[in-house]
Amino acid sequence: MLKAFSRAARAFGAAAIALAALSAPAAAYPDRPITLIVPFAPGGSTDLVARIVAAKMTELLKQTVVVENRGGAGGSLGATAVAKAAPDGYTILMATVATHALNPALYKKLQYDPVKDFAPITLLVNVPNVLTANPKFPAKSVKELIELAKKEPAKYAYASSGNGSPLHLSGELFKKMAGVDLVHIPYKGSGPALVDVLAGQVPLQVDNLPSSIEHIKGGRLVALGVTTAQRVPNLPDVPAIAETLPGYETYSWNALFAPAGTPPEIVKALHDAGVEALKDETVKKKLTDATAVIVGSTPEELGEFTKKEIEKWTPIVKDSGAQID
């Protein structure tokens, strides 16, 4: 009888504990640090934007947003890692035009689908690109570069953040429209490419403007032209390449994505923190000083934007002939 009572008591206790666990509220998100994967090397514009935004999101979410650089394969290694991560909001991606619009057309065996494998959070910024030269390079304008390159085909090289990157394709589009032959030298990220251009190892670079602007202002680089259709306010004296090559236009962007299947309430929390971070005056100043154009979209708007970017860039990639196994 006593044993039966003891068994019943234990069973009752276990049931009570289980009921209490079911009725207890779930831990508030986030209750531990969040990893923001930047799929490129440190020092580039994507890394710059990520660190500015992550610092403010850390304050707003009251949990550390840790920036982790995981470069390689044009951003696809980092993007794949997020696509395969647990959809719990603790691993998110700083995506770019490369990860979500170019790589699907470039890579024959891409391990993620840019639409199906991600939950859009928010489009943070659009980013102009710029064609720069080491100060010792003889050409000081787009016109002079074209003239020089036509006189000596394949003599001069330009650096980019990697094969098939938006910066590489910006350079290839320039070559095609200008009718010149420049040698492309790919790097594993904008940062390493920038180091060699500053050192004079490579004369030219197509870069995201945020990571080059201070070097331009400091005279360590010469800006031949920005890749947007119009001049940018931060560098009003630098012409748009389109002023010499009408119709030329390229740019990059940065957006936050979570793995597909992330609960809507977590996506909302990340979205709200990201958009609120963009409203902070210090964040706004840092981003605009770096020439990034602040957006702050809804998840739905980012989803539609991604599809349009894929439609836009796929034929450009095919026309360039770039293909990566």
Side-chain angles (χ1 to χ4, degrees), residues 6-33:
S6 178
R7 286 197 298 270
R10 286 198 300 270
F12 177 79
I17 291 170
L19 183 62
L22 287 172
S23 60
Y29 173 85
D31 63 359
R32 63 181 189 272

mmCIF file of all heavy atoms in Angstrom, residues 6-33:
data_model
loop_
_atom_site.group_PDB
_atom_site.id
_atom_site.type_symbol
_atom_site.label_atom_id
_atom_site.label_comp_id
_atom_site.label_asym_id
_atom_site.label_seq_id
_atom_site.Cartn_x
_atom_site.Cartn_y
_atom_site.Cartn_z
ATOM 1 N N SER A 6 3.537 5.663 -2.885
ATOM 2 C CA SER A 6 4.772 6.328 -3.293
ATOM 3 C C SER A 6 4.845 6.464 -4.802
ATOM 4 O O SER A 6 5.236 7.503 -5.338
ATOM 5 C CB SER A 6 5.967 5.535 -2.770
ATOM 6 O OG SER A 6 7.167 6.129 -3.182
ATOM 7 N N ARG A 7 4.445 5.369 -5.504
ATOM 8 C CA ARG A 7 4.468 5.423 -6.971
ATOM 9 C C ARG A 7 3.484 6.470 -7.476
ATOM 10 O O ARG A 7 3.772 7.218 -8.398
ATOM 11 C CB ARG A 7 4.131 4.045 -7.550
ATOM 12 C CG ARG A 7 5.265 3.038 -7.427
ATOM 13 C CD ARG A 7 5.032 1.861 -8.355
ATOM 14 N NE ARG A 7 3.800 1.156 -8.001
ATOM 15 C CZ ARG A 7 3.750 0.148 -7.137
ATOM 16 N NH1 ARG A 7 4.857 -0.260 -6.524
ATOM 17 N NH2 ARG A 7 2.600 -0.446 -6.888
ATOM 18 N N ALA A 8 2.317 6.519 -6.862
ATOM 19 C CA ALA A 8 1.304 7.486 -7.266
ATOM 20 C C ALA A 8 1.781 8.911 -7.027
ATOM 21 O O ALA A 8 1.558 9.813 -7.841
ATOM 22 C CB ALA A 8 0.003 7.230 -6.507
ATOM 23 N N ALA A 9 2.478 9.108 -5.899
ATOM 24 C CA ALA A 9 2.987 10.447 -5.583
ATOM 25 C C ALA A 9 4.025 10.891 -6.601
ATOM 26 O O ALA A 9 4.047 12.041 -7.045
ATOM 27 C CB ALA A 9 3.570 10.461 -4.181
ATOM 28 N N ARG A 10 4.897 9.932 -6.963
ATOM 29 C CA ARG A 10 5.929 10.270 -7.935
ATOM 30 C C ARG A 10 5.311 10.599 -9.282
ATOM 31 O O ARG A 10 5.728 11.528 -9.973
ATOM 32 C CB ARG A 10 6.927 9.119 -8.078
ATOM 33 C CG ARG A 10 7.887 8.993 -6.889
ATOM 34 C CD ARG A 10 9.109 8.157 -7.265
ATOM 35 N NE ARG A 10 8.726 6.811 -7.670
ATOM 36 C CZ ARG A 10 8.615 5.791 -6.828
ATOM 37 N NH1 ARG A 10 8.827 5.971 -5.530
ATOM 38 N NH2 ARG A 10 8.291 4.599 -7.276
ATOM 39 N N ALA A 11 4.324 9.806 -9.667
ATOM 40 C CA ALA A 11 3.650 10.043 -10.941
ATOM 41 C C ALA A 11 2.964 11.396 -10.944
ATOM 42 O O ALA A 11 3.007 12.147 -11.920
ATOM 43 C CB ALA A 11 2.633 8.927 -11.219
ATOM 44 N N PHE A 12 2.305 11.704 -9.805
ATOM 45 C CA PHE A 12 1.619 13.001 -9.691
ATOM 46 C C PHE A 12 2.633 14.147 -9.788
ATOM 47 O O PHE A 12 2.416 15.158 -10.455
ATOM 48 C CB PHE A 12 0.860 13.081 -8.370
ATOM 49 C CG PHE A 12 0.185 14.414 -8.159
ATOM 50 C CD1 PHE A 12 -1.010 14.725 -8.786
ATOM 51 C CD2 PHE A 12 0.771 15.379 -7.344
ATOM 52 C CE1 PHE A 12 -1.615 15.951 -8.596
ATOM 53 C CE2 PHE A 12 0.182 16.613 -7.155
ATOM 54 C CZ PHE A 12 -1.027 16.907 -7.773
ATOM 55 N N GLY A 13 3.781 13.960 -9.094
ATOM 56 C CA GLY A 13 4.821 14.999 -9.130
ATOM 57 C C GLY A 13 5.369 15.220 -10.519
ATOM 58 O O GLY A 13 5.563 16.357 -10.954
ATOM 59 N N ALA A 14 5.605 14.117 -11.243
ATOM 60 C CA ALA A 14 6.119 14.233 -12.604
ATOM 61 C C ALA A 14 5.114 14.934 -13.507
ATOM 62 O O ALA A 14 5.474 15.785 -14.335
ATOM 63 C CB ALA A 14 6.441 12.842 -13.155
ATOM 64 N N ALA A 15 3.834 14.589 -13.332
ATOM 65 C CA ALA A 15 2.794 15.220 -14.138
ATOM 66 C C ALA A 15 2.708 16.709 -13.842
ATOM 67 O O ALA A 15 2.530 17.540 -14.742
ATOM 68 C CB ALA A 15 1.455 14.540 -13.882
ATOM 69 N N ALA A 16 2.849 17.040 -12.558
ATOM 70 C CA ALA A 16 2.780 18.455 -12.170
ATOM 71 C C ALA A 16 3.933 19.251 -12.777
ATOM 72 O O ALA A 16 3.763 20.380 -13.255
ATOM 73 C CB ALA A 16 2.801 18.583 -10.653
ATOM 74 N N ILE A 17 5.126 18.640 -12.768
ATOM 75 C CA ILE A 17 6.301 19.312 -13.349
ATOM 76 C C ILE A 17 6.109 19.504 -14.843
ATOM 77 O O ILE A 17 6.400 20.572 -15.397
ATOM 78 C CB ILE A 17 7.577 18.505 -13.056
ATOM 79 C CG1 ILE A 17 7.898 18.555 -11.559
ATOM 80 C CG2 ILE A 17 8.759 19.030 -13.869
ATOM 81 C CD1 ILE A 17 8.996 17.593 -11.135
ATOM 82 N N ALA A 18 5.609 18.466 -15.523
ATOM 83 C CA ALA A 18 5.388 18.558 -16.963
ATOM 84 C C ALA A 18 4.367 19.634 -17.293
ATOM 85 O O ALA A 18 4.531 20.414 -18.234
ATOM 86 C CB ALA A 18 4.916 17.201 -17.505
ATOM 87 N N LEU A 19 3.282 19.696 -16.495
ATOM 88 C CA LEU A 19 2.243 20.703 -16.719
ATOM 89 C C LEU A 19 2.798 22.104 -16.509
ATOM 90 O O LEU A 19 2.505 23.031 -17.266
ATOM 91 C CB LEU A 19 1.067 20.442 -15.767
ATOM 92 C CG LEU A 19 -0.145 21.377 -15.929
ATOM 93 C CD1 LEU A 19 -0.737 21.230 -17.327
ATOM 94 C CD2 LEU A 19 -1.196 21.066 -14.870
ATOM 95 N N ALA A 20 3.627 22.234 -15.483
ATOM 96 C CA ALA A 20 4.232 23.547 -15.206
ATOM 97 C C ALA A 20 5.136 23.976 -16.345
ATOM 98 O O ALA A 20 5.167 25.145 -16.741
ATOM 99 C CB ALA A 20 5.024 23.501 -13.904
ATOM 100 N N ALA A 21 5.863 23.009 -16.922
ATOM 101 C CA ALA A 21 6.757 23.335 -18.031
ATOM 102 C C ALA A 21 5.988 23.771 -19.255
ATOM 103 O O ALA A 21 6.370 24.696 -19.967
ATOM 104 C CB ALA A 21 7.635 22.120 -18.359
ATOM 105 N N LEU A 22 4.841 23.080 -19.496
ATOM 106 C CA LEU A 22 4.017 23.431 -20.647
ATOM 107 C C LEU A 22 3.390 24.801 -20.497
ATOM 108 O O LEU A 22 3.227 25.547 -21.460
ATOM 109 C CB LEU A 22 2.922 22.371 -20.846
ATOM 110 C CG LEU A 22 3.393 21.017 -21.394
ATOM 111 C CD1 LEU A 22 2.240 20.022 -21.339
ATOM 112 C CD2 LEU A 22 3.901 21.171 -22.834
ATOM 113 N N SER A 23 3.009 25.130 -19.268
ATOM 114 C CA SER A 23 2.305 26.394 -19.052
ATOM 115 C C SER A 23 3.256 27.565 -18.845
ATOM 116 O O SER A 23 2.863 28.719 -18.938
ATOM 117 C CB SER A 23 1.388 26.279 -17.824
ATOM 118 O OG SER A 23 2.147 25.967 -16.676
ATOM 119 N N ALA A 24 4.567 27.268 -18.589
ATOM 120 C CA ALA A 24 5.532 28.361 -18.374
ATOM 121 C C ALA A 24 5.784 29.104 -19.671
ATOM 122 O O ALA A 24 5.842 28.492 -20.735
ATOM 123 C CB ALA A 24 6.848 27.787 -17.849
ATOM 124 N N PRO A 25 5.927 30.402 -19.621
ATOM 125 C CA PRO A 25 6.192 31.158 -20.840
ATOM 126 C C PRO A 25 7.560 30.816 -21.413
ATOM 127 O O PRO A 25 8.495 30.531 -20.677
ATOM 128 C CB PRO A 25 6.150 32.618 -20.359
ATOM 129 C CG PRO A 25 6.468 32.555 -18.897
ATOM 130 C CD PRO A 25 5.881 31.270 -18.421
ATOM 131 N N ALA A 26 7.668 30.825 -22.776
ATOM 132 C CA ALA A 26 8.944 30.558 -23.425
ATOM 133 C C ALA A 26 9.904 31.690 -23.122
ATOM 134 O O ALA A 26 9.502 32.818 -22.869
ATOM 135 C CB ALA A 26 8.736 30.432 -24.931
ATOM 136 N N ALA A 27 11.189 31.355 -23.114
ATOM 137 C CA ALA A 27 12.201 32.377 -22.844
ATOM 138 C C ALA A 27 12.097 33.485 -23.890
ATOM 139 O O ALA A 27 11.914 33.225 -25.075
ATOM 140 C CB ALA A 27 13.580 31.741 -22.876
ATOM 141 N N ALA A 28 12.177 34.698 -23.429
ATOM 142 C CA ALA A 28 12.060 35.829 -24.334
ATOM 143 C C ALA A 28 13.240 35.855 -25.295
ATOM 144 O O ALA A 28 14.374 35.609 -24.894
ATOM 145 C CB ALA A 28 11.993 37.126 -23.540
ATOM 146 N N TYR A 29 12.971 36.146 -26.570
ATOM 147 C CA TYR A 29 14.031 36.243 -27.567
ATOM 148 C C TYR A 29 14.553 37.667 -27.594
ATOM 149 O O TYR A 29 13.762 38.607 -27.578
ATOM 150 C CB TYR A 29 13.500 35.859 -28.948
ATOM 151 C CG TYR A 29 14.507 36.113 -30.050
ATOM 152 C CD1 TYR A 29 15.487 35.172 -30.357
ATOM 153 C CD2 TYR A 29 14.507 37.314 -30.760
ATOM 154 C CE1 TYR A 29 16.427 35.421 -31.346
ATOM 155 C CE2 TYR A 29 15.443 37.566 -31.746
ATOM 156 C CZ TYR A 29 16.398 36.618 -32.040
ATOM 157 O OH TYR A 29 17.331 36.871 -33.016
ATOM 158 N N PRO A 30 15.872 37.824 -27.656
ATOM 159 C CA PRO A 30 16.915 36.801 -27.560
ATOM 160 C C PRO A 30 17.387 36.630 -26.122
ATOM 161 O O PRO A 30 17.387 37.588 -25.353
ATOM 162 C CB PRO A 30 18.031 37.408 -28.418
ATOM 163 C CG PRO A 30 17.877 38.887 -28.233
ATOM 164 C CD PRO A 30 16.410 39.141 -28.054
ATOM 165 N N ASP A 31 17.778 35.426 -25.771
ATOM 166 C CA ASP A 31 18.280 35.185 -24.418
ATOM 167 C C ASP A 31 19.752 34.762 -24.420
ATOM 168 O O ASP A 31 20.282 34.318 -23.409
ATOM 169 C CB ASP A 31 17.423 34.145 -23.690
ATOM 170 C CG ASP A 31 17.454 32.777 -24.357
ATOM 171 O OD1 ASP A 31 18.132 32.635 -25.399
ATOM 172 O OD2 ASP A 31 16.802 31.859 -23.843
ATOM 173 N N ARG A 32 20.405 34.912 -25.588
ATOM 174 C CA ARG A 32 21.843 34.657 -25.705
ATOM 175 C C ARG A 32 22.365 35.424 -26.925
ATOM 176 O O ARG A 32 21.569 35.950 -27.725
ATOM 177 C CB ARG A 32 22.130 33.166 -25.827
ATOM 178 C CG ARG A 32 21.558 32.481 -27.058
ATOM 179 C CD ARG A 32 21.914 31.005 -27.029
ATOM 180 N NE ARG A 32 21.590 30.311 -28.268
ATOM 181 C CZ ARG A 32 20.422 29.752 -28.537
ATOM 182 N NH1 ARG A 32 19.441 29.823 -27.639
ATOM 183 N NH2 ARG A 32 20.228 29.133 -29.694
ATOM 184 N N PRO A 33 23.678 35.504 -27.106
ATOM 185 C CA PRO A 33 24.229 36.275 -28.231
ATOM 186 C C PRO A 33 23.759 35.786 -29.599
ATOM 187 O O PRO A 33 23.478 34.598 -29.793
ATOM 188 C CB PRO A 33 25.740 36.088 -28.075
ATOM 189 C CG PRO A 33 25.930 35.839 -26.613
ATOM 190 C CD PRO A 33 24.736 35.033 -26.187
#
